[in-house]
Each structure stands twice: as structure tokens, then as C-alpha cells.
Amino acid sequence: MTITDFLLIALIALIFLLYPLCRKIISLLEVVVKQYVHSAASKSGQPSVSATQTLLNLKLLAYERIILFIERMKPDSLIPRTISSGYTNQEYHQLLLGEIRKEFEYNLSQQLYLSENAWTIVSNFKNNMTTLINTSANDCVPTEPANGLAKKILERYISSDIKINQILQAIKNDII
């Protein structure tokens, strides 16, 4: 095993250890936001229009960001944005995984405003895309040009059961 393998294993272990803590912090933040809205509403005797409207706007922005995340992570969007002729399959594989990880981490805070169901859909989508890329990379020679991996990913995506329209529709239905 190389040093990168050990670092990758350590990073994965760290993510698994920190994920429950992050979920707990986000749950606590959600409670605080709900209490703030509730206290603002109880002070005036009726729901505060500005506090309620602000929360609604934040929720809509979160759903908007998540829909954008899903659109950006589709292979037919991700590959043209990231492909370069200088990459080998192994380098491109790492680049794609890094891009998905970066986008997902950027959008982690959006789960505060999404329902549990919507966040589960997003997490499953991210995991399915990572698996699709990993299995495609396993079928390619690591030292060959990246266009072979890109082609394999697109072929697998087309034949997979990942239905972006259904995922987006489920997210949109959750807004209502």
C-alpha cells in the first residue's frame, strides 16, 4: 500500500466519524431556527411574516442549490466540464471523485432546510454517482487516456437505473 492509500483510508475513516457529529449539529441548528421563528411569532401573537418569509426563502434557496448540485453531478454535465486530453484514466477517476466530494461538501449546509427525505435522496444520488464512477474505473486500464473512462461512465449511466428526472421530481415534490 502506498502513502496515498493510507491517507485515503484515514480520510474515509474521518468522514465516517465526523458525519454523525455534523448531522447532530445541523439538527440542533434546525431546532434553533424553528425556536426563533416560533418565538418571533409568539411575541406578536401571530406568525411573523418576515421571519416566516425569511425561512421560506432560505428553504427555497436550499432546494434550488440541491437541484443545481444534481444537475452538475450528472455524468453528461460533469464529464464535458472536467475532461482534458492530458489525463490518464486513474487521474481522471480521482478528479471526478474530488469534484463530486467538493460539490457535495459545498452543499452540506443545505440539509438544514431540506426534509430528511430530500436529503436522503441527495445522499443516495451522490453515492450512486460515486459507485458508477468507481465501477467504470475498475473496468479501465489506469494508464490509458481518460476519454476511455469518460465513455465507460456515460455508457454505464445510460444503462443504469439512476433516473435523474425522477430524482428531481421527488425533490421538487418535497418543496410543496
Side-chain angles (χ1 to χ4, degrees):
M1 293 184 86
T2 65
I3 187 107
T4 55
D5 294 334
F6 286 115
L7 291 174
L8 184 60
I9 291 169
L11 178 64
I12 291 170
L14 181 66
I15 289 170
F16 279 114
L17 292 173
L18 289 179
Y19 182 75
L21 178 64
C22 290
R23 289 292 294 166
K24 187 66 174 177
I25 290 170
I26 290 170
S27 297
L28 291 172
L29 286 172
E30 188 175 303
V31 168
V32 169
V33 168
K34 286 181 181 180
Q35 286 177 345
Y36 170 75
V37 170
H38 181 68
S39 68
S42 64
K43 286 181 184 176
S44 65
Q46 58 183 349
S48 169
V49 175
S50 64
T52 305
Q53 187 63 39
T54 300
L55 185 58
L56 178 61
N57 288 343
L58 289 171
K59 285 182 112 171
L60 289 175
L61 286 172
Y63 278 95
E64 180 181 317
R65 286 286 320 149
I66 290 303
I67 288 172
L68 182 61
F69 166 76
I70 292 169
E71 288 290 341
R72 288 177 56 83
M73 292 303 103
K74 294 186 317 187
D76 53 346
S77 173
L78 180 64
I79 289 173
R81 204 174 60 249
T82 57
I83 192 77
S84 175
S85 60
Y87 291 123
T88 64
N89 285 334
Q90 183 177 15
E91 294 167 334
Y92 191 54
H93 175 226
Q94 294 305 314
L95 175 82
L96 290 174
L97 294 179
E99 186 73 18
I100 290 173
R101 190 176 311 110
K102 182 175 68 172
E103 285 279 339
F104 187 73
E105 287 172 0
Y106 178 76
N107 288 293
L108 267 176
S109 63
Q110 304 308 318
Q111 66 183 299
L112 177 62
Y113 303 106
L114 270 59
S115 71
E116 190 70 31
N117 179 53
W119 186 251
T120 300
I121 291 169
V122 171
S123 295
N124 288 341
F125 169 73
K126 180 226 159 263
N127 293 337
N128 289 339
M129 292 310 304
T130 301
T131 301
L132 183 126
I133 291 168
N134 286 336
T135 55
S136 298
N138 288 338
D139 290 346
C140 295
V141 178
T143 56
E144 290 185 356
N147 59 353
L149 175 57
K151 182 179 176 185
K152 181 72 73 177
I153 291 169
L154 288 171
E155 288 171 353
R156 280 228 164 104
Y157 172 66
I158 290 168
S159 65
S160 74
D161 61 348
I162 301 172
K163 305 296 183 226
I164 297 297
N165 290 339
Q166 291 174 353
I167 292 169
L168 291 173
Q169 192 58 48
I171 298 289
K172 289 175 187 176
N173 288 341
D174 204 64
I175 296 171
I176 301 171

